[in-house]
PDB file of all heavy atoms in Angstrom:
ATOM      1  N   THR A   1     -21.308 -95.763-136.312  1.00 96.00           N
ATOM      2  CA  THR A   1     -20.923 -94.678-137.303  1.00 96.00           C
ATOM      3  C   THR A   1     -21.750 -94.891-138.632  1.00 96.00           C
ATOM      4  O   THR A   1     -21.890 -95.956-139.160  1.00 96.00           O
ATOM      5  CB  THR A   1     -19.441 -94.854-137.645  1.00 96.00           C
ATOM      6  OG1 THR A   1     -18.694 -94.669-136.417  1.00 96.00           O
ATOM      7  CG2 THR A   1     -19.014 -93.712-138.598  1.00 96.00           C
ATOM      8  N   THR A   2     -22.279 -93.745-139.068  1.00 97.00           N
ATOM      9  CA  THR A   2     -23.142 -93.801-140.227  1.00 97.00           C
ATOM     10  C   THR A   2     -22.600 -92.937-141.424  1.00 97.00           C
ATOM     11  O   THR A   2     -21.812 -92.056-141.216  1.00 97.00           O
ATOM     12  CB  THR A   2     -24.490 -93.234-139.958  1.00 97.00           C
ATOM     13  OG1 THR A   2     -24.404 -91.915-139.442  1.00 97.00           O
ATOM     14  CG2 THR A   2     -25.215 -94.067-138.780  1.00 97.00           C
ATOM     15  N   ASN A   3     -22.987 -93.351-142.594  1.00 97.00           N
ATOM     16  CA  ASN A   3     -22.679 -92.688-143.814  1.00 97.00           C
ATOM     17  C   ASN A   3     -23.825 -92.710-144.696  1.00 97.00           C
ATOM     18  O   ASN A   3     -24.619 -93.717-144.688  1.00 97.00           O
ATOM     19  CB  ASN A   3     -21.486 -93.248-144.531  1.00 97.00           C
ATOM     20  CG  ASN A   3     -20.125 -93.054-143.699  1.00 97.00           C
ATOM     21  OD1 ASN A   3     -19.546 -91.923-143.723  1.00 97.00           O
ATOM     22  ND2 ASN A   3     -19.657 -94.100-143.174  1.00 97.00           N
ATOM     23  N   TYR A   4     -24.014 -91.625-145.533  1.00 98.00           N
ATOM     24  CA  TYR A   4     -25.098 -91.483-146.423  1.00 98.00           C
ATOM     25  C   TYR A   4     -24.722 -91.038-147.767  1.00 98.00           C
ATOM     26  O   TYR A   4     -23.761 -90.301-147.963  1.00 98.00           O
ATOM     27  CB  TYR A   4     -26.157 -90.436-145.877  1.00 98.00           C
ATOM     28  CG  TYR A   4     -26.721 -90.857-144.524  1.00 98.00           C
ATOM     29  CD1 TYR A   4     -26.105 -90.393-143.387  1.00 98.00           C
ATOM     30  CD2 TYR A   4     -27.846 -91.655-144.430  1.00 98.00           C
ATOM     31  CE1 TYR A   4     -26.646 -90.706-142.124  1.00 98.00           C
ATOM     32  CE2 TYR A   4     -28.413 -91.991-143.127  1.00 98.00           C
ATOM     33  CZ  TYR A   4     -27.791 -91.579-142.026  1.00 98.00           C
ATOM     34  OH  TYR A   4     -28.328 -91.904-140.828  1.00 98.00           O
ATOM     35  N   ALA A   5     -25.476 -91.419-148.782  1.00 98.00           N
ATOM     36  CA  ALA A   5     -25.269 -90.873-150.079  1.00 98.00           C
ATOM     37  C   ALA A   5     -25.742 -89.451-150.135  1.00 98.00           C
ATOM     38  O   ALA A   5     -26.664 -89.123-149.387  1.00 98.00           O
ATOM     39  CB  ALA A   5     -26.107 -91.668-151.095  1.00 98.00           C
ATOM     40  N   ASP A   6     -25.132 -88.665-150.855  1.00 98.00           N
ATOM     41  CA  ASP A   6     -25.438 -87.232-150.937  1.00 98.00           C
ATOM     42  C   ASP A   6     -26.877 -87.031-151.314  1.00 98.00           C
ATOM     43  O   ASP A   6     -27.538 -86.067-150.769  1.00 98.00           O
ATOM     44  CB  ASP A   6     -24.539 -86.520-151.953  1.00 98.00           C
ATOM     45  CG  ASP A   6     -23.105 -86.331-151.496  1.00 98.00           C
ATOM     46  OD1 ASP A   6     -22.827 -86.511-150.310  1.00 98.00           O
ATOM     47  OD2 ASP A   6     -22.238 -86.109-152.363  1.00 98.00           O
ATOM     48  N   SER A   7     -27.444 -87.841-152.134  1.00 97.00           N
ATOM     49  CA  SER A   7     -28.820 -87.672-152.527  1.00 97.00           C
ATOM     50  C   SER A   7     -29.848 -87.806-151.468  1.00 97.00           C
ATOM     51  O   SER A   7     -31.042 -87.406-151.562  1.00 97.00           O
ATOM     52  CB  SER A   7     -29.143 -88.636-153.657  1.00 97.00           C
ATOM     53  OG  SER A   7     -28.926 -89.959-153.269  1.00 97.00           O
ATOM     54  N   VAL A   8     -29.480 -88.460-150.301  1.00 98.00           N
ATOM     55  CA  VAL A   8     -30.522 -88.726-149.249  1.00 98.00           C
ATOM     56  C   VAL A   8     -30.065 -88.020-147.876  1.00 98.00           C
ATOM     57  O   VAL A   8     -30.781 -88.114-146.979  1.00 98.00           O
ATOM     58  CB  VAL A   8     -30.617 -90.216-148.934  1.00 98.00           C
ATOM     59  CG1 VAL A   8     -30.983 -90.920-150.283  1.00 98.00           C
ATOM     60  CG2 VAL A   8     -29.375 -90.896-148.378  1.00 98.00           C
ATOM     61  N   LYS A   9     -28.930 -87.398-147.877  1.00 97.00           N
ATOM     62  CA  LYS A   9     -28.510 -86.745-146.583  1.00 97.00           C
ATOM     63  C   LYS A   9     -29.568 -85.727-146.142  1.00 97.00           C
ATOM     64  O   LYS A   9     -30.092 -84.948-146.937  1.00 97.00           O
ATOM     65  CB  LYS A   9     -27.137 -86.026-146.826  1.00 97.00           C
ATOM     66  CG  LYS A   9     -25.987 -86.981-146.871  1.00 97.00           C
ATOM     67  CD  LYS A   9     -24.689 -86.202-147.060  1.00 97.00           C
ATOM     68  CE  LYS A   9     -23.429 -87.058-146.953  1.00 97.00           C
ATOM     69  NZ  LYS A   9     -22.214 -86.356-147.189  1.00 97.00           N
ATOM     70  N   GLY A  10     -29.858 -85.824-144.881  1.00 97.00           N
ATOM     71  CA  GLY A  10     -30.800 -84.888-144.327  1.00 97.00           C
ATOM     72  C   GLY A  10     -32.211 -85.436-144.355  1.00 97.00           C
ATOM     73  O   GLY A  10     -33.168 -84.828-143.705  1.00 97.00           O
ATOM     74  N   ARG A  11     -32.467 -86.365-145.171  1.00 98.00           N
ATOM     75  CA  ARG A  11     -33.840 -86.963-145.308  1.00 98.00           C
ATOM     76  C   ARG A  11     -33.917 -88.463-144.732  1.00 98.00           C
ATOM     77  O   ARG A  11     -34.909 -88.708-144.273  1.00 98.00           O
ATOM     78  CB  ARG A  11     -34.184 -87.036-146.778  1.00 98.00           C
ATOM     79  CG  ARG A  11     -34.265 -85.626-147.421  1.00 98.00           C
ATOM     80  CD  ARG A  11     -34.866 -85.620-148.811  1.00 98.00           C
ATOM     81  NE  ARG A  11     -34.025 -86.483-149.759  1.00 98.00           N
ATOM     82  CZ  ARG A  11     -34.516 -87.545-150.383  1.00 98.00           C
ATOM     83  NH1 ARG A  11     -35.729 -87.974-150.187  1.00 98.00           N
ATOM     84  NH2 ARG A  11     -33.713 -88.187-151.182  1.00 98.00           N
ATOM     85  N   PHE A  12     -32.829 -89.250-144.915  1.00 98.00           N
ATOM     86  CA  PHE A  12     -32.797 -90.615-144.505  1.00 98.00           C
ATOM     87  C   PHE A  12     -31.949 -90.785-143.236  1.00 98.00           C
ATOM     88  O   PHE A  12     -30.961 -90.057-143.102  1.00 98.00           O
ATOM     89  CB  PHE A  12     -32.238 -91.501-145.538  1.00 98.00           C
ATOM     90  CG  PHE A  12     -33.090 -91.713-146.804  1.00 98.00           C
ATOM     91  CD1 PHE A  12     -34.210 -90.839-146.953  1.00 98.00           C
ATOM     92  CD2 PHE A  12     -32.839 -92.662-147.658  1.00 98.00           C
ATOM     93  CE1 PHE A  12     -35.019 -90.999-148.100  1.00 98.00           C
ATOM     94  CE2 PHE A  12     -33.571 -92.833-148.869  1.00 98.00           C
ATOM     95  CZ  PHE A  12     -34.754 -91.993-149.068  1.00 98.00           C
ATOM     96  N   THR A  13     -32.355 -91.638-142.415  1.00 98.00           N
ATOM     97  CA  THR A  13     -31.596 -91.966-141.247  1.00 98.00           C
ATOM     98  C   THR A  13     -31.489 -93.501-141.076  1.00 98.00           C
ATOM     99  O   THR A  13     -32.499 -94.241-141.059  1.00 98.00           O
ATOM    100  CB  THR A  13     -32.222 -91.446-139.904  1.00 98.00           C
ATOM    101  OG1 THR A  13     -32.373 -90.015-140.047  1.00 98.00           O
ATOM    102  CG2 THR A  13     -31.350 -91.755-138.708  1.00 98.00           C
ATOM    103  N   ILE A  14     -30.234 -94.017-140.976  1.00 98.00           N
ATOM    104  CA  ILE A  14     -30.027 -95.400-140.723  1.00 98.00           C
ATOM    105  C   ILE A  14     -29.712 -95.652-139.222  1.00 98.00           C
ATOM    106  O   ILE A  14     -29.067 -94.878-138.623  1.00 98.00           O
ATOM    107  CB  ILE A  14     -28.868 -95.991-141.618  1.00 98.00           C
ATOM    108  CG1 ILE A  14     -28.764 -97.492-141.525  1.00 98.00           C
ATOM    109  CG2 ILE A  14     -27.565 -95.388-141.301  1.00 98.00           C
ATOM    110  CD1 ILE A  14     -27.804 -98.099-142.465  1.00 98.00           C
ATOM    111  N   SER A  15     -30.273 -96.715-138.692  1.00 96.00           N
ATOM    112  CA  SER A  15     -29.990 -97.108-137.303  1.00 96.00           C
ATOM    113  C   SER A  15     -29.976 -98.573-137.160  1.00 96.00           C
ATOM    114  O   SER A  15     -30.266 -99.249-138.010  1.00 96.00           O
ATOM    115  CB  SER A  15     -31.062 -96.452-136.392  1.00 96.00           C
ATOM    116  OG  SER A  15     -32.338 -96.907-136.790  1.00 96.00           O
ATOM    117  N   ARG A  16     -29.555 -99.050-136.012  1.00 94.00           N
ATOM    118  CA  ARG A  16     -29.457-100.468-135.793  1.00 94.00           C
ATOM    119  C   ARG A  16     -29.738-100.848-134.374  1.00 94.00           C
ATOM    120  O   ARG A  16     -29.403-100.056-133.397  1.00 94.00           O
ATOM    121  CB  ARG A  16     -28.161-101.100-136.257  1.00 94.00           C
ATOM    122  CG  ARG A  16     -26.966-100.576-135.475  1.00 94.00           C
ATOM    123  CD  ARG A  16     -25.668-101.042-136.092  1.00 94.00           C
ATOM    124  NE  ARG A  16     -25.379-102.557-135.935  1.00 94.00           N
ATOM    125  CZ  ARG A  16     -24.455-103.217-136.515  1.00 94.00           C
ATOM    126  NH1 ARG A  16     -23.648-102.649-137.456  1.00 94.00           N
ATOM    127  NH2 ARG A  16     -24.286-104.521-136.216  1.00 94.00           N
ATOM    128  N   ASP A  17     -30.289-101.980-134.021  1.00 93.00           N
ATOM    129  CA  ASP A  17     -30.536-102.495-132.761  1.00 93.00           C
ATOM    130  C   ASP A  17     -29.672-103.803-132.679  1.00 93.00           C
ATOM    131  O   ASP A  17     -30.091-104.845-133.175  1.00 93.00           O
ATOM    132  CB  ASP A  17     -31.996-102.754-132.510  1.00 93.00           C
ATOM    133  CG  ASP A  17     -32.333-103.151-131.118  1.00 93.00           C
ATOM    134  OD1 ASP A  17     -31.363-103.677-130.455  1.00 93.00           O
ATOM    135  OD2 ASP A  17     -33.413-102.990-130.665  1.00 93.00           O
ATOM    136  N   ASN A  18     -28.577-103.719-132.087  1.00 89.00           N
ATOM    137  CA  ASN A  18     -27.641-104.810-132.046  1.00 89.00           C
ATOM    138  C   ASN A  18     -28.236-106.070-131.309  1.00 89.00           C
ATOM    139  O   ASN A  18     -28.001-107.179-131.636  1.00 89.00           O
ATOM    140  CB  ASN A  18     -26.331-104.525-131.411  1.00 89.00           C
ATOM    141  CG  ASN A  18     -25.516-103.542-132.248  1.00 89.00           C
ATOM    142  OD1 ASN A  18     -25.593-103.519-133.442  1.00 89.00           O
ATOM    143  ND2 ASN A  18     -24.702-102.677-131.564  1.00 89.00           N
ATOM    144  N   ALA A  19     -29.021-105.808-130.274  1.00 90.00           N
ATOM    145  CA  ALA A  19     -29.656-106.902-129.531  1.00 90.00           C
ATOM    146  C   ALA A  19     -30.641-107.670-130.365  1.00 90.00           C
ATOM    147  O   ALA A  19     -30.804-108.894-130.165  1.00 90.00           O
ATOM    148  CB  ALA A  19     -30.301-106.414-128.322  1.00 90.00           C
ATOM    149  N   LYS A  20     -31.200-107.012-131.368  1.00 92.00           N
ATOM    150  CA  LYS A  20     -32.203-107.597-132.255  1.00 92.00           C
ATOM    151  C   LYS A  20     -31.610-108.016-133.655  1.00 92.00           C
ATOM    152  O   LYS A  20     -32.409-108.521-134.460  1.00 92.00           O
ATOM    153  CB  LYS A  20     -33.416-106.723-132.414  1.00 92.00           C
ATOM    154  CG  LYS A  20     -34.171-106.448-131.094  1.00 92.00           C
ATOM    155  CD  LYS A  20     -35.414-105.564-131.407  1.00 92.00           C
ATOM    156  CE  LYS A  20     -36.177-105.244-130.089  1.00 92.00           C
ATOM    157  NZ  LYS A  20     -37.302-104.408-130.361  1.00 92.00           N
ATOM    158  N   ASN A  21     -30.317-107.702-133.806  1.00 92.00           N
ATOM    159  CA  ASN A  21     -29.707-107.898-135.151  1.00 92.00           C
ATOM    160  C   ASN A  21     -30.616-107.286-136.253  1.00 92.00           C
ATOM    161  O   ASN A  21     -30.822-107.911-137.298  1.00 92.00           O
ATOM    162  CB  ASN A  21     -29.526-109.427-135.408  1.00 92.00           C
ATOM    163  CG  ASN A  21     -28.413-109.996-134.623  1.00 92.00           C
ATOM    164  OD1 ASN A  21     -27.535-109.282-134.110  1.00 92.00           O
ATOM    165  ND2 ASN A  21     -28.403-111.313-134.457  1.00 92.00           N
ATOM    166  N   THR A  22     -31.063-106.044-136.034  1.00 95.00           N
ATOM    167  CA  THR A  22     -31.869-105.399-136.964  1.00 95.00           C
ATOM    168  C   THR A  22     -31.405-104.031-137.306  1.00 95.00           C
ATOM    169  O   THR A  22     -30.969-103.313-136.463  1.00 95.00           O
ATOM    170  CB  THR A  22     -33.304-105.312-136.286  1.00 95.00           C
ATOM    171  OG1 THR A  22     -33.818-106.576-136.005  1.00 95.00           O
ATOM    172  CG2 THR A  22     -34.283-104.558-137.222  1.00 95.00           C
ATOM    173  N   ALA A  23     -31.578-103.651-138.594  1.00 95.00           N
ATOM    174  CA  ALA A  23     -31.207-102.362-139.047  1.00 95.00           C
ATOM    175  C   ALA A  23     -32.503-101.645-139.578  1.00 95.00           C
ATOM    176  O   ALA A  23     -33.434-102.446-140.037  1.00 95.00           O
ATOM    177  CB  ALA A  23     -30.210-102.404-140.179  1.00 95.00           C
ATOM    178  N   TYR A  24     -32.493-100.382-139.555  1.00 97.00           N
ATOM    179  CA  TYR A  24     -33.652 -99.613-139.992  1.00 97.00           C
ATOM    180  C   TYR A  24     -33.237 -98.472-140.880  1.00 97.00           C
ATOM    181  O   TYR A  24     -32.084 -98.015-140.813  1.00 97.00           O
ATOM    182  CB  TYR A  24     -34.358 -98.950-138.795  1.00 97.00           C
ATOM    183  CG  TYR A  24     -34.806 -99.910-137.704  1.00 97.00           C
ATOM    184  CD1 TYR A  24     -33.954-100.191-136.589  1.00 97.00           C
ATOM    185  CD2 TYR A  24     -36.001-100.686-137.750  1.00 97.00           C
ATOM    186  CE1 TYR A  24     -34.300-101.094-135.623  1.00 97.00           C
ATOM    187  CE2 TYR A  24     -36.319-101.545-136.698  1.00 97.00           C
ATOM    188  CZ  TYR A  24     -35.464-101.693-135.669  1.00 97.00           C
ATOM    189  OH  TYR A  24     -35.778-102.654-134.629  1.00 97.00           O
ATOM    190  N   LEU A  25     -34.110 -98.136-141.788  1.00 98.00           N
ATOM    191  CA  LEU A  25     -33.860 -96.936-142.588  1.00 98.00           C
ATOM    192  C   LEU A  25     -35.168 -96.074-142.557  1.00 98.00           C
ATOM    193  O   LEU A  25     -36.226 -96.490-143.199  1.00 98.00           O
ATOM    194  CB  LEU A  25     -33.565 -97.332-144.036  1.00 98.00           C
ATOM    195  CG  LEU A  25     -33.223 -96.143-144.955  1.00 98.00           C
ATOM    196  CD1 LEU A  25     -31.905 -95.608-144.568  1.00 98.00           C
ATOM    197  CD2 LEU A  25     -33.134 -96.648-146.435  1.00 98.00           C
ATOM    198  N   GLN A  26     -35.082 -95.008-141.828  1.00 98.00           N
ATOM    199  CA  GLN A  26     -36.178 -94.061-141.837  1.00 98.00           C
ATOM    200  C   GLN A  26     -35.999 -93.113-142.966  1.00 98.00           C
ATOM    201  O   GLN A  26     -35.075 -92.405-143.133  1.00 98.00           O
ATOM    202  CB  GLN A  26     -36.186 -93.259-140.456  1.00 98.00           C
ATOM    203  CG  GLN A  26     -37.292 -92.207-140.300  1.00 98.00           C
ATOM    204  CD  GLN A  26     -38.615 -92.876-140.219  1.00 98.00           C
ATOM    205  OE1 GLN A  26     -38.864 -93.805-139.588  1.00 98.00           O
ATOM    206  NE2 GLN A  26     -39.598 -92.304-141.103  1.00 98.00           N
ATOM    207  N   MET A  27     -37.088 -93.046-143.818  1.00 98.00           N
ATOM    208  CA  MET A  27     -36.995 -92.230-145.015  1.00 98.00           C
ATOM    209  C   MET A  27     -38.087 -91.179-144.921  1.00 98.00           C
ATOM    210  O   MET A  27     -39.278 -91.429-144.894  1.00 98.00           O
ATOM    211  CB  MET A  27     -37.232 -93.128-146.267  1.00 98.00           C
ATOM    212  CG  MET A  27     -36.197 -94.210-146.393  1.00 98.00           C
ATOM    213  SD  MET A  27     -36.391 -95.174-147.889  1.00 98.00           S
ATOM    214  CE  MET A  27     -38.017 -95.943-147.624  1.00 98.00           C
ATOM    215  N   ASN A  28     -37.637 -89.978-144.849  1.00 98.00           N
ATOM    216  CA  ASN A  28     -38.566 -88.781-144.853  1.00 98.00           C
ATOM    217  C   ASN A  28     -38.482 -87.895-146.033  1.00 98.00           C
ATOM    218  O   ASN A  28     -37.506 -87.998-146.737  1.00 98.00           O
ATOM    219  CB  ASN A  28     -38.236 -87.942-143.522  1.00 98.00           C
ATOM    220  CG  ASN A  28     -38.461 -88.695-142.233  1.00 98.00           C
ATOM    221  OD1 ASN A  28     -39.353 -89.557-142.124  1.00 98.00           O
ATOM    222  ND2 ASN A  28     -37.547 -88.381-141.264  1.00 98.00           N
ATOM    223  N   SER A  29     -39.404 -87.060-146.239  1.00 98.00           N
ATOM    224  CA  SER A  29     -39.332 -86.135-147.397  1.00 98.00           C
ATOM    225  C   SER A  29     -39.065 -86.872-148.695  1.00 98.00           C
ATOM    226  O   SER A  29     -38.173 -86.444-149.492  1.00 98.00           O
ATOM    227  CB  SER A  29     -38.405 -85.032-147.118  1.00 98.00           C
ATOM    228  OG  SER A  29     -38.671 -84.261-145.968  1.00 98.00           O
ATOM    229  N   LEU A  30     -39.756 -87.949-148.914  1.00 98.00           N
ATOM    230  CA  LEU A  30     -39.458 -88.863-150.034  1.00 98.00           C
ATOM    231  C   LEU A  30     -39.832 -88.044-151.312  1.00 98.00           C
ATOM    232  O   LEU A  30     -40.743 -87.210-151.486  1.00 98.00           O
ATOM    233  CB  LEU A  30     -40.341 -90.075-149.938  1.00 98.00           C
ATOM    234  CG  LEU A  30     -39.694 -91.109-149.041  1.00 98.00           C
ATOM    235  CD1 LEU A  30     -40.753 -92.152-148.615  1.00 98.00           C
ATOM    236  CD2 LEU A  30     -38.494 -91.726-149.582  1.00 98.00           C
ATOM    237  N   LYS A  31     -38.986 -88.440-152.361  1.00 98.00           N
ATOM    238  CA  LYS A  31     -39.057 -87.794-153.668  1.00 98.00           C
ATOM    239  C   LYS A  31     -39.404 -88.968-154.691  1.00 98.00           C
ATOM    240  O   LYS A  31     -38.990 -90.085-154.507  1.00 98.00           O
ATOM    241  CB  LYS A  31     -37.867 -87.065-154.051  1.00 98.00           C
ATOM    242  CG  LYS A  31     -37.392 -85.989-153.074  1.00 98.00           C
ATOM    243  CD  LYS A  31     -36.106 -85.331-153.456  1.00 98.00           C
ATOM    244  CE  LYS A  31     -35.637 -84.335-152.486  1.00 98.00           C
ATOM    245  NZ  LYS A  31     -34.297 -83.746-152.813  1.00 98.00           N
TER     246      LYS A  31
END
């Protein structure tokens, strides 16, 4: 389950790989 600050909704995507204990933040349309 994901949640985002209003300022980044639609531009940022958080994800995770549980097997690798790793989280990612894809940031698009950066300002």
Side-chain angles (χ1 to χ4, degrees):
T1 302
T2 60
N3 290 287
Y4 299 92
D6 289 340
S7 59
V8 306
K9 284 182 178 178
R11 301 188 297 118
F12 291 11
T13 302
I14 188 172
S15 61
R16 63 189 288 172
D17 185 335
N18 292 331
K20 298 180 179 180
N21 287 339
T22 300
Y24 307 93
L25 186 67
Q26 179 66 47
M27 304 184 293
N28 299 325
S29 301
L30 284 163
K31 305 175 181 179

